[in-house]
């Protein structure tokens, strides 16, 4: 498959041109023209790049790429090492951030719901990035936390308490703790995201709506994995997902 054809397909599939983001989505680093093998992963770390080189990949497909708004633009230190490895091995880097979060089927939020067995019923927040729905049967906060730990393979941080069983749940993968108030306004009895900040604790305690930080990496493994599987099915590309462990 030609590199440009793949980019056009992904841009259209994920609606990238319509979504406002704080990084460029799509092809971030140009490599060889023909793509037969892709390595998929959450973040374009040096470890993932080196794994792709060992496997003879033609490119990487990730959720967290490069060139974030407000970061130091100089090509030095870690950035130089990553870019040098990509360019010297003629590897393409495709990255989709918010477009991969919001896709209704392949997105991180949709895929987290699939993994957890949650039933999406609507969206909330800026650009409708968050999802809200229900647990199939009402459950205690402890039961929900244990289910998350079992299915994501990581112990979550639980903040706040709930005296009643929970059924109405909102979630947004990654670092979406700033959406907590919007989740409460949308009617959530529990909000699940990846990370937590100091003010999150007070909001959970004072609002009566508990918060679970399930891990930024742990909640965002599933979208890019599903996207790679879709490309393999659609075009016969060899797509291999590599999970570079990250405790955050």
């Amino acid at each position: 498959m030609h590199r440009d054809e793949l980019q056009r397909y992904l841009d259209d599939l994920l609606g990238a041109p319509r979504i406002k983001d704080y990084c460029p989505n799509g092809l971030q680093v140009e490599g060889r023209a023909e793509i037969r093998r892709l390595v998929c992963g959450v973040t374009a770390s040096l470890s993932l790049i080196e794994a792709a080189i060992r496997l003879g990949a033609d490119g990487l497909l990730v959720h967290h790429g490069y060139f974030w708004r407000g970061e130091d633009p100089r090509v030095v230190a870690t950035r130089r090492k990553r870019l040098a490895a990509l360019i010297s091995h003629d590897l393409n880097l495709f990255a989709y951030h918010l477009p991969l979060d919001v896709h209704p089927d392949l997105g991180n939020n949709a895929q987290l719901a699939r993994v957890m067995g949650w039933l999406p019923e609507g969206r909330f927040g800026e650009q409708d990035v968050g999802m809200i729905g229900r647990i199939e049967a009402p459950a205690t906060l402890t039961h929900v936390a244990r289910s998350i730990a079992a299915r994501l393979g990581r112990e979550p941080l639980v903040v706040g308490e709930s005296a009643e069983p929970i059924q109405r749940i909102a979630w947004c993968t990654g670092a979406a703790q700033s959406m907590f108030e919007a989740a409460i306004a949308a009617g959530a009895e529990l909000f699940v995201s990846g990370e937590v900040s100091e003010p999150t604790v007070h909001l959970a305690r004072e609002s009566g709506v508990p918060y679970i930080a399930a891990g930024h990496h742990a909640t965002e493994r599933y979208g890019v994995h599903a996207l790679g599987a879709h490309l393999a099915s659609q075009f016969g590309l060899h797509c291999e997902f590599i999970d570079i462990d990250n405790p955050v």
Side-chain angles (χ1 to χ4, degrees):
M1 187 175 191
H2 195 276
R3 174 192 62 236
D4 297 341
E5 181 187 358
L6 179 58
Q7 178 178 1
R8 286 193 295 269
Y9 180 80
L10 288 170
D11 283 354
D12 183 63
L13 175 67
L14 300 175
R18 301 190 300 273
I19 296 174
K20 296 178 181 178
D21 212 336
Y22 37 96
C23 63
N25 288 294
L27 182 65
Q28 291 190 338
V29 178
E30 183 179 288
R32 61 184 67 109
E34 291 299 319
I35 295 177
R36 295 178 177 84
R37 180 186 291 263
L38 280 174
V39 162
C40 305
V42 177
T43 299
S45 64
L46 186 59
S47 295
L48 187 66
I49 296 168
E50 290 172 342
I53 292 169
R54 289 194 298 271
L55 289 171
D58 303 301
L60 292 104
L61 175 62
V62 300
H63 179 50
H64 299 138
Y66 305 153
F67 314 116
W68 301 92
R69 184 174 64 207
E71 71 177 4
D72 187 344
R74 294 177 299 164
V75 182
V76 297
T78 299
R79 174 179 284 191
R80 181 191 181 281
K81 291 178 182 178
R82 292 174 173 178
L83 290 174
L86 287 168
I87 293 169
S88 64
H89 289 86
D90 211 16
L91 282 174
N92 295 280
L93 174 62
F94 298 91
Y96 290 90
H97 184 232
L98 290 182
L100 189 56
D101 286 322
V102 305
H103 192 274
D105 300 312
L106 303 173
N108 284 321
N109 287 319
Q111 287 295 311
L112 180 62
R114 178 191 61 80
V115 170
M116 292 304 308
W118 299 336
L119 306 173
E121 295 178 336
R123 292 182 173 272
F124 71 97
E126 187 176 352
Q127 301 189 88
D128 288 334
V129 66
M131 278 189 166
I132 189 164
R134 59 187 172 88
I135 302 170
E136 191 167 2
T140 65
L141 179 61
T142 299
H143 179 85
V144 176
R146 286 176 179 168
S147 178
I148 289 173
R151 299 192 188 197
L152 302 191
R154 179 190 187 277
E155 285 296 326
L157 174 66
V158 181
V159 180
E161 299 177 354
S162 177
E164 301 296 328
I166 292 164
Q167 187 162 29
R168 188 78 170 158
I169 183 171
W171 63 96
C172 189
T173 65
Q177 59 267 45
S178 63
M179 296 178 62
F180 191 11
E181 286 185 290
I184 295 170
E189 298 166 348
L190 167 67
F191 184 45
V192 178
S193 187
E195 295 187 24
V196 64
S197 297
E198 194 272 346
T200 313
V201 175
H202 303 294
L203 181 57
R205 291 171 177 170
E206 295 169 20
S207 68
V209 176
Y211 180 94
I212 293 181
H216 193 138
H217 178 86
T219 58
E220 295 201 320
R221 290 177 295 194
Y222 305 103
V224 71
H225 188 283
L227 183 57
H230 172 83
L231 292 174
S233 173
Q234 193 78 9
F235 300 107
L237 293 175
H238 184 98
C239 297
E240 182 170 348
F241 176 78
I242 297 179
D243 189 18
I244 304 296
D245 181 60
N246 188 326
V248 172

